[in-house]
């Protein structure tokens, strides 16, 4: 019995201890629960604060964005205003002429991307430089500003160290330009020389209004876009186009004889139209049967449109980069339907297709031009025009070195297109004067061609 009582007392004591432990655990759980609730309250408060901070940050960011957009718009508006001021200062008459009848749509008009771009020329007025003051009296800053406007801004830093006034450039030689200004490109030196000569002679040339940007677009029109980078790098402008030589074209990496003739005929057309920047026709007009005087002003794209009109649309894309334009078709006596068939890649075995092209070509160029091309092709010593012939630079013999000092530097015989613009009439009246000088072998047949023209007219 004693043992049982002792055992029961031990169990009772053990149960009491367990009860005390359970009560202490319950108290600890309540304390932890209170802490958790407190932490959750703090979490809710922090989340509310975080949301309020995010709203404030988003508002501030939106405010900054709106401010930045307004500032960008203000800058763009200021840039646009400055551009308009510069355009007005250059007196670009071509833009004003294009806006006069902008409300009416007519075919054959200006392209949105290829309008005439007129440069600041020695003849144009500038608020910073009084053109009544001779160039020799221009200050250093005026000369450097003019170089910047003229597309030769890369030489301004060295020019500022060398030039004292305008007279320094007027009395300099091409060797001085290369040594003092670092002008290594020969066409850059030529560009500067032509501009300085215009200041000296005070002769206003219409070609000087066309800058180098217009020339790159002109290359698109005559079908030679592959040379745009070379012409742009050389800063070839309208005045330089007028005085281009064969060696200049070789410097510009134009080696194809056909491309030389293409540029030559295109310059003929510019001469005939007094360097009107809009003389070339890019879209079909309202004419049903165009005359040769209209065809001579066709661009490369307009010739491709004609091919589509005569059911040769599948071959029209082959004229891209060929240099074929209306001036080449009409003015070059060696350019025939056979030449066009070669450029279009029409196989020789397709005789019916070639005959169709020859008929359409004869109808396009007219009876007189067709007869002249045929007579020129049948002449003795005739060299057919090919698409692979290359132009080589002229080599001077030992007997010619003694005449170098006697030759004038601006001899017109060296120019690729030495034609007096006043004598040009591209309307079929004086075609012998227009055709003379276009081909290397044409001078040999000049007298014979004039006699044939007299008999024909008689």
């Amino acid at each position: 019995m004693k043992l049982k009582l002792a055992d029961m007392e031990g169990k009772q004591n053990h149960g009491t201890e367990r009860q005390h432990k359970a009560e202490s655990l319950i108290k600890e759980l309540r304390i932890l629960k209170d802490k958790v609730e407190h932490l959750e309250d703090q979490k809710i408060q922090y989340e509310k604060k975080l949301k309020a901070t995010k709203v404030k940050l988003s508002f501030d960011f939106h405010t900054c964005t709106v401010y930045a957009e307004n500032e960008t718009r203000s800058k763009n508006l200021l840039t646009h205003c400055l551009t308009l001021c510069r355009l007005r200062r250059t007196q670009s008459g071509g833009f004003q002429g294009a806006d006069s009848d902008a409300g009416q749509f007519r075919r054959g008009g200006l392209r949105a991307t290829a309008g005439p771009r007129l440069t600041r020329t020695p003849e144009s007025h500038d608020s910073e430089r009084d053109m009544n003051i001779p160039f020799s009296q221009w200050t250093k800053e005026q000369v450097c500003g003019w170089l910047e406007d003229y597309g030769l801004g890369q030489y301004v830093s060295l020019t500022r160290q060398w030039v004292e006034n305008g007279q320094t450039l007027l009395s300099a030689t091409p060797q001085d330009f290369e040594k003092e200004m670092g002008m290594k490109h020969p066409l850059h030196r030529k560009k500067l020389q032509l501009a300085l000569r215009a200041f000296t002679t005070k002769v206003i040339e219409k070609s000087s209004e066309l800058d180098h940007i217009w020339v790159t677009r002109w290359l698109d029109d005559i079908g030679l876009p592959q040379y745009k980078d070379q012409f742009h790098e050389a800063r070839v402008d309208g005045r330089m186009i007028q005085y281009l030589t064969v060696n200049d074209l070789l410097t510009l990496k134009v080696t194809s004889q056909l491309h030389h003739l293409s540029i030559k005929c295109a310059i003929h057309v510019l001469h005939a139209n007094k360097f009107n920047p809009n003389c070339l026709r890019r879209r079909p007009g309202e004419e049903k049967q165009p005359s040769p005087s209209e065809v001579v002003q066709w661009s490369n794209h307009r010739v491709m449109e004609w091919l589509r009109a005569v059911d040769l649309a599948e071959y029209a894309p082959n004229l891209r980069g060929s240099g074929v334009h209306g001036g080449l078709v009409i003015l070059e006596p060696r350019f025939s339907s056979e030449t066009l068939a070669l450029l279009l890649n029409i196989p020789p075995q397709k005789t019916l297709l070639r005959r169709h092209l020859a008929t359409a070509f004869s109808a396009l160029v007219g009876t007189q031009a067709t007869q002249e091309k045929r007579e020129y092709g049948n002449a003795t010593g005739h060299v057919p025009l090919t698409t692979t012939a290359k132009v080589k630079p002229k080599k001077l013999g030992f007997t010619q070195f003694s005449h170098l000092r006697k030759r004038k530097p601006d001899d017109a015989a060296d120019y690729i297109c030495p034609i007096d613009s006043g004598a040009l009439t591209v309307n079929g009246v004086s075609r012998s004067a227009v055709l003379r000088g276009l081909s290397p072998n044409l001078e040999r047949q000049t007298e014979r061609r004039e006699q044939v023209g007299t008999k024909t007219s008689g």
Side-chain angles (χ1 to χ4, degrees), residues 221 281-282 295 297-310 316 319 322 324-327 329 335 340 344 364:
D221 287 334
R281 295 287 169 255
R282 305 177 180 92
V295 176
Q297 295 180 331
W298 282 8
S299 67
N300 176 258
H301 183 78
R302 180 65 184 90
V303 176
M304 294 168 63
E305 291 288 339
W306 168 76
L307 286 172
R308 296 185 179 97
V310 296
L319 283 191
S322 64
V324 176
H325 53 88
V329 170
F335 191 90
L340 185 58
L344 293 176
L364 179 69

Side-chain angles (χ1 to χ4, degrees), residues 180-192:
E180 303 295 341
M181 299 173 62
M183 195 174 289
K184 306 295 184 182
H185 203 300
L187 293 181
H188 288 180
R189 297 195 293 268
K190 181 173 183 176
K191 179 184 177 77
L192 182 56

Side-chain angles (χ1 to χ4, degrees), residues 12-304:
Q12 186 176 0
N13 292 333
H14 183 67
T16 305
E17 289 178 0
R18 292 180 63 184
Q19 185 176 1
H20 286 304
K21 286 182 179 180
E23 290 177 354
S24 62
L25 287 174
I26 290 173
K27 287 181 181 180
E28 290 180 359
L29 287 174
R30 288 176 179 174
I31 294 172
L32 290 173
K33 184 179 179 181
D34 293 338
K35 288 183 178 180
V36 169
E37 291 177 352
H38 180 67
L39 290 174
E40 287 180 351
D41 292 338
Q42 287 184 346
K43 178 183 177 182
I44 293 172
Q45 291 178 1
Y46 285 137
E47 287 178 350
K48 290 180 179 180
K49 291 181 179 180
L50 183 61
K51 288 181 179 179
T53 305
K54 286 183 177 180
V55 171
K56 185 177 180 181
L57 288 174
S58 63
F59 177 77
D60 293 340
F61 178 76
H62 178 70
T63 304
C64 294
T65 304
V66 172
Y67 176 79
E69 290 178 353
N70 292 335
E71 187 176 2
T72 304
R73 290 175 183 173
S74 301
K75 289 182 178 179
N76 292 337
L77 181 60
L78 179 61
T79 305
H80 182 64
C81 292
L82 291 175
T83 304
L84 289 177
C85 292
R86 289 174 181 170
L87 289 176
R88 288 183 179 179
R89 192 166 60 180
T90 55
Q91 298 181 349
S92 299
F95 290 105
Q96 297 172 2
D99 295 338
S100 59
D101 55 350
Q104 300 179 356
F105 174 78
R106 59 185 181 85
R107 301 189 70 87
L110 293 174
R111 288 185 302 180
T113 58
R117 172 153 178 172
L118 308 183
T119 184
R120 294 190 190 181
T121 64
E123 297 83 15
S124 63
H125 298 283
D126 196 329
S127 59
E128 298 178 358
R129 295 182 290 273
D130 187 1
M131 300 308 296
N132 295 324
I133 300 176
F135 183 81
S136 58
Q137 299 179 13
W138 282 18
T139 63
K140 178 189 300 186
E141 293 303 322
Q142 287 175 329
V143 171
C144 292
W146 171 74
L147 282 175
E148 187 77 33
D149 294 339
Y150 202 50
L152 300 175
Q154 64 267 41
Y155 304 111
V156 167
S157 58
L158 292 177
T159 303
R160 187 174 282 109
Q161 301 175 10
W162 171 53
V163 169
E164 296 181 359
N165 49 38
Q167 184 60 39
T168 308
L169 287 182
L170 290 176
S171 58
T173 62
Q175 291 76 16
D176 294 332
F177 298 151
E178 182 176 4
K179 178 182 177 181
E180 303 295 341
M181 299 173 62
M183 195 174 289
K184 306 295 184 182
H185 203 300
L187 293 181
H188 288 180
R189 297 195 293 268
K190 181 173 183 176
K191 179 184 177 77
L192 182 56
Q193 281 183 287
L194 291 174
L196 294 175
R197 188 179 68 176
F199 277 117
T200 304
T201 59
K202 297 182 180 179
V203 176
I204 299 177
E205 294 176 317
K206 190 67 176 177
S207 61
S208 63
E209 297 181 1
L210 308 175
D211 70 353
H212 62 279
I213 303 297
W214 180 88
V215 170
T216 57
R217 293 169 177 172
W218 174 73
L219 290 172
D220 271 327
D221 287 334
I222 65 175
L224 296 174
Q226 61 268 37
Y227 301 113
K228 290 167 65 174
D229 291 340
Q230 292 92 313
F231 275 70
H232 185 271
E233 182 184 356
R235 296 296 190 269
V236 177
D237 55 13
R239 184 188 281 120
M240 294 180 68
I241 286 291
Q242 185 175 356
Y243 296 106
L244 272 181
T245 65
V246 175
N247 287 334
D248 290 339
L249 288 181
L250 294 176
T251 302
L252 293 166
K253 300 180 181 179
V254 183
T255 59
S256 171
Q257 185 184 35
L258 181 63
H259 294 173
H260 274 244
L261 294 174
S262 173
I263 294 174
K264 194 171 194 175
C265 295
I267 299 175
H268 269 274
V269 176
L270 287 176
H271 273 290
N273 291 275
K274 298 180 180 179
F275 283 85
N276 178 11
N278 302 315
C279 63
L280 295 182
R281 295 287 169 255
R282 305 177 180 92
R283 293 288 186 271
E286 299 178 356
E287 70 276 1
K288 295 182 180 179
Q289 184 62 37
S291 62
S293 60
E294 294 172 332
V295 176
V296 79
Q297 295 180 331
W298 282 8
S299 67
N300 176 258
H301 183 78
R302 180 65 184 90
V303 176
M304 294 168 63

